[in-house]
Amino acid sequence: MSVKIACFERLDEVARDAAGALDRAARPILYDRLDWFRLLEAHCPPAGRLLALRADAEGAPSWLVLAIEGRTARPYAAWYSLRVGPIGGSGADAMTSFAETLAARRLASLVMAPMERPEPLAEGLAKAGWWVRVEPDKANWRIATEGMDFEAYWASRSGRLRNTVRRKARAAALDVMIHRRFDAEAWADYESVYRASWKPEEGSFPFLRALAEQEGAAGCLRLGVAKKDGRPVAAQLWTVENGEATIHKLAYAEDAKALSPGSILSQAMFRHVLDEDRVAAIDYGVGDEPYKAEWMAERRQLWRIVAHNPRTFPGLLRGLRERASALAARLRTR
């Protein structure tokens, strides 16, 4: 099958070509939208230059948006990107055409993670002659909640979690507010909590604020803040769209840890999205932290593609090194 490929080096070019096909109305997943890539470009762009590919197979376009650094391609993403990969159709012809186009540009390597379904792209790369390895990356915790209100959900959680939250909530007496639209004061509270938390320095507060403003304008923001005596001690950034809630960021003030403000706020957030939004699923982002299993029901493995183009010297060298390393590891385990 003949596949038409177009390459773009600016998001404005992508926008003109896509003609709305990468907008919110056409793309149910946040990380597949042009607006998402524009936020990344403005506030926390990945290293390298943009390269966006569009493959048109039988009128079904697919996109692959990459950052090219040296001769290595990676997703045009930041640590806020909970999923990456091809956008739109993932047919074999389109995926192979992506791989052939990257090879023609003399790229040596492609690294793509975290992915939910690596198989189509991995198979396309292999068919085009790349040496491909698919390996486990991060984990994703989620729970299906269709038809479930908060009381039913809460009854399914462990007695230990329920008792701990009930006891701590009674003692802490926190004030909780959940904002569905962007609120500058609430956002200042979020940043205050994060800076007082145990978490490392935030990658880009301007990116998160712009995201909160954007999703608030669309009616998708759920920003929760818990206060003790007027002082913010916990904050969480969620979005709700297309029947699914996603937990993006959460933090609590380290000196308020004894109050368990994060768990108390989580309970309020879960109650809100289940009873008010009636979501069919809740996604806890990426990461295998033990506390996520307490709130979720299903662990899903996310994946990483590492591919090398043996028709380039750097790709051949990297591929041979990896194969030699893998062989040595197998011999050590015998």
Side-chain angles (χ1 to χ4, degrees):
M1 178 190 298
S2 176
V3 178
K4 297 178 181 178
I5 286 282
C7 302
F8 309 97
E9 296 183 352
R10 299 179 63 84
L11 288 178
D12 286 343
E13 297 172 353
V14 176
R16 286 192 292 271
D17 179 77
L22 295 177
D23 293 349
R24 184 182 297 269
R27 293 292 153 204
I29 299 174
L30 174 63
Y31 322 106
D32 288 352
R33 296 174 188 156
L34 188 62
D35 284 346
W36 176 263
F37 296 115
R38 288 197 186 280
L39 289 179
L40 293 175
E41 182 182 57
H43 300 290
C44 48
R49 69 185 190 280
L50 173 78
L51 176 63
L53 308 179
R54 190 253 298 146
D56 194 351
E58 293 188 338
S62 304
W63 287 267
L64 190 61
V65 186
L66 303 170
I68 309 299
E69 186 179 18
R71 297 178 71 175
T72 298
R74 293 184 174 86
Y76 198 89
W79 73 328
Y80 304 111
S81 303
L82 303 183
R83 304 290 188 278
V84 300
I87 300 166
S90 56
D93 292 317
M95 298 302 103
T96 302
S97 295
F98 283 149
E100 291 173 344
T101 301
L102 295 176
R105 286 176 167 254
R106 305 297 294 166
L107 287 169
S109 300
L110 170 71
V111 180
M112 184 73 60
M115 300 185 72
E116 281 188 350
R117 293 182 60 246
E119 296 85 2
L121 182 57
E123 290 168 5
L125 287 160
K127 187 175 180 180
W130 292 65
W131 292 350
V132 184
R133 185 176 81 253
V134 177
E135 61 189 19
D137 191 63
K138 302 171 182 175
N140 163 236
W141 282 92
R142 60 186 289 114
I143 185 169
T145 57
E146 187 168 7
M148 187 182 295
D149 63 10
F150 176 76
E151 291 306 322
Y153 160 77
W154 198 232
S156 72
R157 300 299 90 204
S158 70
R160 189 188 69 81
L161 176 64
R162 299 197 311 270
N163 292 334
T164 297
V165 173
R166 181 176 62 250
R167 185 178 68 256
K168 292 288 188 176
R170 187 165 49 242
L174 301 182
D175 296 316
V176 174
M177 179 69 71
I178 298 172
H179 302 266
R180 298 171 69 95
R181 297 284 178 173
F182 182 81
D183 180 271
E185 183 177 343
W187 187 256
D189 290 339
Y190 171 86
E191 292 194 10
S192 171
V193 169
Y194 203 97
R195 291 190 173 99
S197 76
W198 77 102
K199 294 202 166 186
E201 182 178 349
E202 183 56 79
S204 174
F205 278 127
F207 171 87
L208 286 177
R209 180 182 177 122
L211 176 64
E213 291 174 339
Q214 172 182 289
E215 297 308 301
C220 299
L221 176 69
R222 303 295 181 267
L223 178 63
V225 178
K227 295 184 179 182
K228 176 65 175 178
D229 299 328
R231 176 203 168 202
V233 291
Q236 298 188 12
L237 172 61
W238 294 35
T239 55
V240 172
E241 191 172 13
N242 301 312
E244 182 163 321
T246 300
I247 306 171
H248 294 274
K249 302 289 291 182
L250 71 169
Y252 61 81
E254 182 66 24
D255 61 4
K257 182 177 181 179
L259 299 174
S260 295
S263 295
I264 295 168
L265 179 55
S266 288
Q267 184 194 42
M269 298 291 288
F270 274 79
R271 185 187 297 276
H272 187 92
V273 301
L274 287 167
D275 289 351
E276 299 294 327
D277 297 305
R278 308 299 296 176
V279 297
I282 302 174
D283 188 299
Y284 220 139
V286 297
D288 221 359
E289 296 87 349
Y291 67 82
K292 293 183 178 180
E294 292 190 298
W295 298 85
M296 299 284 104
E298 177 189 2
R299 181 190 186 275
R300 298 195 302 183
Q301 183 66 60
L302 300 178
W303 302 92
R304 172 188 302 269
I305 289 176
V306 180
H308 302 298
N309 177 11
R311 287 166 289 184
T312 66
F313 180 73
L316 177 64
L317 185 60
R318 293 170 191 172
L320 289 173
R321 284 175 175 169
E322 287 192 3
R323 291 184 173 194
S325 177
L327 176 61
R330 286 197 297 270
L331 291 175
R332 286 196 298 269
T333 60
R334 286 183 177 178

